[in-house]
Amino acid sequence: MNAWFALTKKEFRLGLPAFLFAVILYGGFLGLVYWMGSKIGFQDEIMMSGMIAVLIFHIPFIFFYMIFSLTSENTKLHLWLHNPMPISGLILAKLVSGIVYAIMTFTVCLVAALLFQKNNYDLLNEHITFNITGVSTLWIFSTGIACAIIFTFFWSIYLTLGQWMNNFFSFIITLILFFVLALVYDSFTQLSFMQALTDWGTIEIEDIIGFEFMIADDAFEAGMRMDTTLLTLGHMVRDIITTILLFIAACWIIDKKVEV
């Protein structure tokens, strides 16, 4: 365990440029949003939208962090793979460092957004604010981690193919394989038995804010209920299991198929 913590500390140093780039990018984006708001008016609304956008940008943050961290090993792949630690430990060290960096920036941005909302709008009570924050945080981090592991899986395939062909053809085949498997997975989730297993635990907007959304239909002078589904817990469990299987598969491919 001590060896893994030492490796994770090394990963924090390795990933520091990606973290600093994200901080500069987020700060620059918010500065641009503030400037635009001061020029065209609606400053509070534009600034609030910018803060929400920065929070959502944390989904690709973990993904791009793993791209940076894993591809940085290409020049010294033999040293990385010859580490006595299991491949799962090596990849987890990178993933954990990326998640911790994301939590740091996300927490700062979230607190700033909540304070800004309270000081300028204060439309939501504490219960609704807590619900929205919790669901949004769960969605952002679960999606970001899933994207990072999916990339790791296809990166392992890319490394394997790269032993038999040049990098360009390895990338093209890996890209084609990504789209093929995405279509297969989507078709699989649409099967009736999979829908029966996973279509449960629907969370809708009214579950979070406490009232239903309706739209007026002028033609019939009636109200129509909007589709306000935020997420389905059954789908989330399905995707978590898939993500874990992809992580295991990536570790196995790198361990058994990649030679340096």
Side-chain angles (χ1 to χ4, degrees):
M1 184 60 71
N2 289 335
W4 185 82
F5 280 117
L7 177 64
T8 305
K9 287 177 61 178
K10 187 214 80 171
E11 295 298 342
F12 275 111
R13 293 193 298 270
L14 179 66
L16 184 60
F19 170 70
L20 294 177
F21 175 79
V23 170
I24 295 172
L25 182 64
Y26 294 155
F29 176 77
L30 289 176
L32 178 62
V33 168
Y34 179 82
W35 177 81
M36 289 177 59
S38 64
K39 290 293 184 181
I40 65 177
F42 305 102
Q43 186 170 0
D44 291 346
E45 292 79 1
I46 293 176
M47 195 66 190
M48 192 70 232
S49 300
M51 289 183 173
I52 293 173
V54 167
L55 292 174
I56 296 175
F57 287 165
H58 281 76
I59 293 176
F61 173 88
I62 303 176
F63 170 66
F64 285 114
Y65 181 91
M66 284 299 287
I67 292 178
F68 175 84
S69 186
L70 286 172
T71 54
S72 66
E73 301 289 356
N74 286 346
T75 57
K76 50 183 185 299
L77 191 61
H78 60 291
L79 298 176
W80 188 64
L81 293 180
H82 286 162
N83 190 304
M85 189 174 296
I87 293 297
S88 58
L90 299 179
I91 296 177
L92 273 177
K94 294 181 177 297
L95 186 61
V96 167
S97 63
I99 293 173
V100 171
Y101 274 141
I103 290 174
M104 291 169 59
T105 56
F106 183 85
T107 301
V108 172
C109 295
L110 179 61
V111 171
L114 291 176
L115 290 176
F116 187 86
Q117 184 273 143
K118 184 175 180 61
N119 292 332
N120 292 277
Y121 297 101
D122 199 19
L123 298 175
L124 307 176
N125 61 43
E126 292 184 0
H127 178 69
I128 295 176
T129 300
F130 178 81
N131 287 346
I132 294 175
T133 301
V135 171
S136 300
T137 301
L138 176 63
W139 174 69
I140 288 171
F141 276 89
S142 61
T143 305
I145 292 171
C147 290
I149 292 179
I150 290 171
F151 169 78
T152 304
F153 172 73
F154 285 98
W155 182 75
S156 68
I157 294 176
Y158 168 78
L159 288 182
T160 304
L161 294 175
Q163 298 174 129
W164 306 324
M165 61 189 71
N166 64 47
N167 291 339
F168 175 77
F169 287 109
S170 176
F171 173 78
I172 294 299
I173 293 177
T174 303
L175 188 63
I176 293 173
L177 187 61
F178 167 77
F179 287 110
V180 170
L181 291 181
L183 288 173
V184 171
Y185 182 71
D186 181 67
S187 299
F188 177 70
T189 60
Q190 299 303 318
L191 295 177
S192 57
F193 85 94
M194 277 300 299
Q195 292 183 344
L197 287 174
T198 60
D199 286 354
W200 54 269
T202 300
I203 297 178
E204 299 185 352
I205 292 179
E206 55 261 32
D207 299 323
I208 304 300
I209 64 176
F211 58 87
E212 291 188 346
F213 269 82
M214 305 288 290
I215 56 175
D217 189 334
D218 295 334
F220 297 97
E221 297 183 353
M224 297 178 59
R225 186 176 180 277
M226 296 174 61
D227 182 8
T228 58
T229 301
L230 289 177
L231 56 89
T232 304
L233 294 179
H235 294 176
M236 181 172 289
V237 171
R238 175 200 68 198
D239 294 339
I240 289 174
I241 294 173
T242 302
T243 301
I244 293 173
L245 292 176
L246 288 178
F247 177 80
I248 295 172
C251 294
W252 183 86
I253 292 172
I254 295 174
D255 187 40
K256 301 297 184 182
K257 300 299 181 180
V258 178
E259 299 177 358
V260 291

